[in-house]
Amino acid sequence: MAKYQLQLAHLYGNLLNTYSDVGNIIALRYYAQQMDTTIATKVISIDDDFAPDQFDLVLFGGGQDYEQSVVARDLPNKRAGLATFIDDDKPLLAICGGYQLLGRYYIDAQGKKIPGLGLLDHYTLNQDHHRFIGDITIKNPENGEEYHGFENHSGRTFLGTSERPLGTVISGNGNNGEDGTEGAIYKEVYCSYFHGPILTRNGAIAKHLLLTALHNKYPAADLSSQAALPIKPTF
Ligand code: GLN
C-alpha cells in the first residue's frame, strides 16, 4: 500500500477526451507511483454531483463542439463545487474544450455562443473556416521550462486580467494566433490547448500538479524525496 492516496475527478471523461486526453491520468499515475502515491479516479459526468472535498485533483479534457454544448448545459450544477475547489488552491488541469468552458463563453465553429463557467476570466471566439492544427512549443517565462504539444482547435482564446499565460509561443499558434500566449494559469488551475497528452510529454507539469495535491492533503508530510523526483526529458 502506498504511503499517500489522491483522488482525481475526471470531469465529463466520457464526453470530453479528444486526442486521448485520458493519457494525462496515465502520466500522473506514472509519476505518482515513484512518489509512493496512488491515484483513484472517478468520472464525474452529466447529472453527477461534484463534491470538492472528495477530490485532490481534477482533469477537464477537450472535446468537439457538440459534446461541449451538451456539457455546457450541465455545468451550472457543478459551478459552486468547482469554485470552492479552485479557491482552495487545489490543482485542476483543463485542456482545450475544458479550458474554454472554464472561461466566460465559447463561440463555436458555427458561430453559436456556448456559455462557460466564468470561473476564469478568458473568453473564446471562433474563426472563419480555419483551425489551428499542428505541433507547438512554448516557454514558461516564470521558470524557463519549455513545453511541447499538439494543438487542434478552432477557438481563439483571449485571457482576462486575473490570469497569466502558461507560456510564450516559440512555434505554433497558441491561444489565438495573435498575442503570442498559450494557455492560462490562475491559482492552481493550469489550462492549455496542448494535446499529446500534455503530461506525457511535459512531466514537469505533472510533477507540479502532484506535489501541489500532496502538500494540500498532507500538509505535515516531508515531501522532499517527492520534490527531488527526476522527470523524463521533454520530447
Ligand atoms: N471544440 C473546440 C475547438 O475546436 C475544442 C477542441 C478540442 O478540445 N480539441 O476549439
Side-chain angles (χ1 to χ4, degrees), residues 58-116:
V58 167
L59 170 66
F60 195 1
Q64 290 161 11
D65 287 357
Y66 176 71
E67 281 79 4
Q68 282 181 263
S69 69
V70 173
V71 165
R73 288 198 287 276
D74 182 74
L75 279 177
N77 304 327
K78 299 181 178 46
R79 191 178 189 283
L82 286 167
T84 302
F85 188 90
I86 293 170
D87 276 350
D88 288 347
D89 288 319
K90 289 181 165 184
L92 187 158
L93 176 68
I95 304 298
C96 209
Y99 168 25
Q100 294 168 345
L101 291 174
L102 277 179
R104 286 155 49 197
Y105 58 84
Y106 164 53
I107 310 285
D108 75 12
Q110 307 301 321
K112 200 174 129 213
K113 187 171 185 174
I114 299 179

Side-chain angles (χ1 to χ4, degrees), residues 14 49-50 60 108 128 130 137 141 161 183 186 221:
N14 55 341
D49 284 334
F50 173 76
F60 195 1
D108 75 12
D128 217 11
H130 188 254
T137 301
T161 48
Y186 170 71

Side-chain angles (χ1 to χ4, degrees), residues 18-19 62-65 68 96-97 100 106 131 152-155 195:
T18 45
Y19 312 110
Q64 290 161 11
D65 287 357
Q68 282 181 263
C96 209
Q100 294 168 345
Y106 164 53
R131 296 181 71 81
N152 184 348
H153 53 110
S154 69
H195 300 285

